[in-house]
């Protein structure tokens, strides 16, 4: 799973209310429609500015707050290819894997990357190359079981493929 | 090996000897999803199964956009009524109350493993249950299988001692802790609340504390069982940590001189003593939510109110957390008192808390709420500002039209 795109930068503690504000989140289950409001709590024009394949880079605790799965879903449907952050909130992390939004924890990334930098990302290897700055960063590897769910396109697809979802947890 | 409460419950539920850091599949005792998360959970479920694992253990309350505030919400709710009927699950229609309050009142027992498709599911730790929020896809998988994978969290032990001063309550304690620990200070960890202050605290107060564990990134909040838990739940099951249990951190606080606390815009951990924000003019005050919409909370607000009136300059919105709470308040004429004082009293639901149903704030407006989050754009316009407080501070401030210390008027 490889991606290449330009960076949109955000700070620490980006909440799910910022990712998809309450006044939109539940009116429709059509994620392509909802995706037009992605990150609207912070940047009302975000959806219009991004190109297919662009990446979000953020600080610690990305996706904090509500458990709404609409948050990773709208990011995925907006055309953002993956989210790289210093850290994620627990529920957002789980939801992202479950809906097939690629995410990686990359220590120190917000200090190293500027908005607009062109990055290439290898999810399996956890390797990020900053093509603008000619630098390389290492992500915390995803546990194998989660990587497999992600590569299947999310938990529902994984279960359909495997007929169940128990894996070796030890 | 000595265990924390989290290690004990997850070991029991997975039939393995677990410690913090272990991953395990565990059997779920109760699974709850509400009107905003259940529609996606039903979609996920329909992709993988036809029949739910155990209809008695699945609970679907409609509380976030209740009664329906848009045609789309009405359609979503129609879908959930149909699903609940077909699958024979437990179902609470609009007007019954906030999902977390209904779970406390009617379902959760000590020692259970409970998941909810709502981040404030951690509230049920007040009853000695391990309860945590998950997303809709996890919930759909749980509807089908009754199982889910968990990472056993490390635990921070928070010991509280001292008698809370007058006009200072559990909300002030948890806001103080949010300020101390920070929005991600307990990420992936459980918070165990213990000590003499907790022993004296009502189940409602304990629920206020556990409710906001998530605001520090926590996986859940937990309180050991005692006589109060037995009386509330009717269960004799006892859950407490082992004496030699291993904690990642131990924190001690004496609350006997605690000041009323306020979380200022736009982060829950932006916590200040009330004196720092006193006099901030308000457009709206909301008293309610899964944090502070219980009988004890609204009774405290009524005591502060006394025979006075709420300010005409402020919209005071009061929403009891459940039908049971509402009825008890009515029996004691507290609802009538709120109405006479000029408040808008709504039927039990989440209310303005997450800004989807009613009571939204406009551009530049300032709100004070007893709920749990003040993130930008949550309770209305991204250009509105929201402060969080206890019900006592909220009531006094709604009377004065500005953030006001309730201790001043009463002395």
């Amino acid at each position: 799973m490889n991606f290449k795109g330009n960076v949109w930068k955000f700070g620490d503690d980006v909440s799910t209310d910022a990712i998809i504000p309450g006044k939109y989140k539940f009116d429709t289950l059509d994620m392509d429609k909802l995706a037009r409001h992605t990150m609207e709590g912070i940047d009302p024009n975000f959806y219009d500015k991004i190109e297919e394949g662009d990446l979000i880079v953020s600080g610690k605790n990305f996706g904090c707050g509500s458990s709404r799965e609409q948050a990773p879903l709208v990011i995925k449907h907006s055309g953002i290819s993956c989210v790289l952050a210093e850290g994620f909130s627990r529920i957002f992390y789980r939801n992202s894997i479950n809906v097939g939004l690629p995410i990686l924890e990359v220590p120190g990334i917000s200090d190293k990357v500027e908005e607009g930098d062109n990055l290439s990302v290898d999810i399996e290897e956890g390797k990020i190359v900053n093509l603008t700055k000619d630098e390389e960063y290492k992500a915390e590897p995803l546990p194998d079981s989660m990587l497999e769910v992600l590569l299947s396109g999310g938990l529902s697809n994984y279960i359909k493929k495997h007929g169940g979802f128990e894996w070796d947890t030890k | 090996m000595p265990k924390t409460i989290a290690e004990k419950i997850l070991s029991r539920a997975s039939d393995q000897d677990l410690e913090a850091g272990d991953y395990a599949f565990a059997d779920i005792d109760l699974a709850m999803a509400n009107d905003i998360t259940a529609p996606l959970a039903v979609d996920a479920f329909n992709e993988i199964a036809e029949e739910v694992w155990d209809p008695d253990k699945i609970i679907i309350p409609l509380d976030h956009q209740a009664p329906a505030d848009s045609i789309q919400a009405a359609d979503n709710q129609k879908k959930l009524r149909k699903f609940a009927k077909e699958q024979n699950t437990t179902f609470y229609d609009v007007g019954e109350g906030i999902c977390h309050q209904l779970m406390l009142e009617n379902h959760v027992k000590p020692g259970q493993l409970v998941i909810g498709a709502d981040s404030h599911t951690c509230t049920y730790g007040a009853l000695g249950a391990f309860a945590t929020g998950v997303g809709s896809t996890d919930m759909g998988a749980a509807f089908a299988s009754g199982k889910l994978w968990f990472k056993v969290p490390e635990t921070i032990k928070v010991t509280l001692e001292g008698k809370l001063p007058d006009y200072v309550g559990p909300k002030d304690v948890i806001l103080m802790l949010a300020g101390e620990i920070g929005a991600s200070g307990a990420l992936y960890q459980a918070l165990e609340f213990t000590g003499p202050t907790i022993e004296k605290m009502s189940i409602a107060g304990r629920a206020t504390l556990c409710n906001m564990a998530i605001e520090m990134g926590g996986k859940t909040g937990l309180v050991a069982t005692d006589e109060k838990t037995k009386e509330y739940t009717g269960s004799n099951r006892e859950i407490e940590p082992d004496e030699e249990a291993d904690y990642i951190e131990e924190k001690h606080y004496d609350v006997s001189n605690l000041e009323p606390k306020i979380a200022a815009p736009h982060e829950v951990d932006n916590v200040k003593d009330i004196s720092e924000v006193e006099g901030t003019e308000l457009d709206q005050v909301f008293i309610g939510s899964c944090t502070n919409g219980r009988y004890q909370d609204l009774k405290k607000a009524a005591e502060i109110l006394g025979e006075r009136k709420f300010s005409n300059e402020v919209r005071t919105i009061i929403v009891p957390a459940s039908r049971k709470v509402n009825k008890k308040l009515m029996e004691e004429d507290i609802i009538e008192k709120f109405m006479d004082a000029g408040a808008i009293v709504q039927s039990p639901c989440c209310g303005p808390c997450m800004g989807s149903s009613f009571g939204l704030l406009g551009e530049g407006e300032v709100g004070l709420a007893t709920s749990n989050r003040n993130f930008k754009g949550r309770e209305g316009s991204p250009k509105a500002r929201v402060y969080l407080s206890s019900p006592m501070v909220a009531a006094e401030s709604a009377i004065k039209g500005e953030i006001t210390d309730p201790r001043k008027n009463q002395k």
Side-chain angles (χ1 to χ4, degrees), chain B residues 73-148:
Chain B
D75 286 341
N76 277 343
Q77 293 175 10
K78 197 173 123 191
K79 171 178 171 164
L80 296 178
R81 280 185 198 100
K82 183 165 173 274
F83 176 79
K85 200 165 189 181
E86 279 171 7
Q87 297 285 343
N88 205 22
T89 73
T90 303
F91 179 73
Y92 293 96
D93 215 318
V94 297
E96 292 305 317
I98 303 174
C99 58
H100 304 308
Q101 184 61 16
L102 295 169
M103 291 295 284
L104 291 179
E105 286 174 2
N106 304 324
H107 298 283
V108 176
K109 304 285 181 211
Q112 286 181 330
L113 173 60
V114 185
I115 59 164
D118 188 288
S119 60
H120 293 108
T121 300
C122 52
T123 309
Y124 324 151
L127 301 179
F130 185 95
T132 194
V134 299
S136 297
T137 302
D138 269 335
M139 186 54 70
F143 280 1
S145 68
K147 280 176 184 288
L148 212 56

Side-chain angles (χ1 to χ4, degrees), chain A residues 15 17 22 25-27 60-61 65-67 69-70 88 90-91 94-95 98 146 160 165-167 169, chain B residues 23 25 36 47 65 70 72 76 118 132-133 135-138 145 147-149 183 354 373 375 378:
Chain A
S15 75
D17 287 297
K25 63 201 181 223
F26 320 127
D27 276 354
K60 62 183 172 65
N61 205 23
S66 150
S67 69
E69 214 159 271
Q70 287 89 339
F88 294 90
R90 185 188 75 80
I91 303 175
R94 230 180 139 112
N95 286 349
N98 283 343
M146 287 188 206
K160 278 188 271 181
F165 77 126
E166 292 205 40
W167 53 73
T169 51
Chain B
Y23 286 85
F25 274 88
I36 61 158
E47 278 195 47
Q65 292 177 283
S70 68
Q72 289 89 342
N76 277 343
D118 188 288
T132 194
S136 297
T137 302
D138 269 335
S145 68
K147 280 176 184 288
L148 212 56
W149 68 267
M354 79 292 140
R373 288 186 181 137
F375 299 148
R378 179 174 170 92

Side-chain angles (χ1 to χ4, degrees), chain A residues 59-107:
Chain A
K60 62 183 172 65
N61 205 23
F62 186 87
C64 62
S66 150
S67 69
R68 68 186 70 137
E69 214 159 271
Q70 287 89 339
L73 279 170
V74 294
I75 293 177
K76 189 180 169 190
H77 284 255
S78 72
I80 289 290
S81 59
C82 71
V83 183
L84 309 174
E86 311 254 349
F88 294 90
S89 87
R90 185 188 75 80
I91 303 175
F92 183 89
Y93 185 87
R94 230 180 139 112
N95 286 349
S96 297
I97 303 291
N98 283 343
V99 302
L101 171 70
I103 56 170
L104 286 174
E105 277 187 11
V106 191

Side-chain angles (χ1 to χ4, degrees), chain B residues 81-304:
Chain B
R81 280 185 198 100
K82 183 165 173 274
F83 176 79
K85 200 165 189 181
E86 279 171 7
Q87 297 285 343
N88 205 22
T89 73
T90 303
F91 179 73
Y92 293 96
D93 215 318
V94 297
E96 292 305 317
I98 303 174
C99 58
H100 304 308
Q101 184 61 16
L102 295 169
M103 291 295 284
L104 291 179
E105 286 174 2
N106 304 324
H107 298 283
V108 176
K109 304 285 181 211
Q112 286 181 330
L113 173 60
V114 185
I115 59 164
D118 188 288
S119 60
H120 293 108
T121 300
C122 52
T123 309
Y124 324 151
L127 301 179
F130 185 95
T132 194
V134 299
S136 297
T137 302
D138 269 335
M139 186 54 70
F143 280 1
S145 68
K147 280 176 184 288
L148 212 56
W149 68 267
F150 293 89
K151 185 181 180 188
V152 183
E154 290 155 335
T155 299
I156 301 175
K157 182 177 179 180
V158 179
T159 306
L160 300 169
E161 57 184 303
K163 183 178 176 292
L164 282 165
D166 288 346
Y167 310 108
V168 175
K171 182 62 164 289
D172 301 296
V173 174
I174 197 65
L175 287 177
M176 179 271 289
L177 287 171
E180 294 271 325
I181 294 173
S184 60
L187 197 58
Y188 233 117
Q189 295 164 340
L191 289 160
E192 252 184 42
F193 301 107
T194 184
T197 315
I198 298 293
E199 284 162 28
K200 291 237 159 54
M201 199 178 277
S202 65
I203 295 294
R206 295 174 189 179
T208 301
L209 296 190
C210 292
N211 175 271
M212 289 186 69
I214 179 74
E215 308 314 331
M216 289 157 267
K219 186 166 188 165
T220 195
L222 286 157
V223 177
T225 55
D226 61 7
E227 284 306 313
K228 287 179 184 163
T229 330
K230 276 183 202 173
E231 194 189 328
Y232 189 93
T233 62
S235 165
N236 287 325
R237 192 161 176 188
E238 290 174 3
I239 296 287
E240 57 181 12
D242 292 326
E243 253 176 53
E244 299 296 311
D246 202 7
Y247 294 96
I248 184 142
E249 206 179 341
E250 300 198 26
K251 290 176 173 289
H252 294 259
Y253 297 94
D254 184 337
V255 298
S256 44
N257 292 311
L258 192 69
E259 298 276 311
K261 296 284 178 182
I262 301 275
H266 297 281
E267 289 88 26
V268 183
D269 60 354
N270 187 18
V271 175
K272 301 180 186 304
D273 280 341
I274 192 162
S275 55
E276 295 175 68
V277 290
E278 247 182 318
T280 305
E281 285 187 22
L282 300 168
D283 297 293
Q284 178 170 297
V285 173
F286 163 47
I287 307 178
S289 85
C290 56
T291 316
N292 279 133
R294 280 172 272 278
Y295 166 76
Q296 290 82 347
D297 300 315
L298 300 190
K299 191 175 165 64
K300 285 269 183 217
E303 285 168 6
I304 294 283

Side-chain angles (χ1 to χ4, degrees), chain A residues 38-53:
Chain A
T38 305
M39 305 307 283
E40 202 177 277
I42 297 174
D43 180 356
N45 304 315
F46 182 75
Y47 181 80
D48 295 328
K49 295 197 298 202
I50 57 173
E51 302 276 340
E52 185 80 28

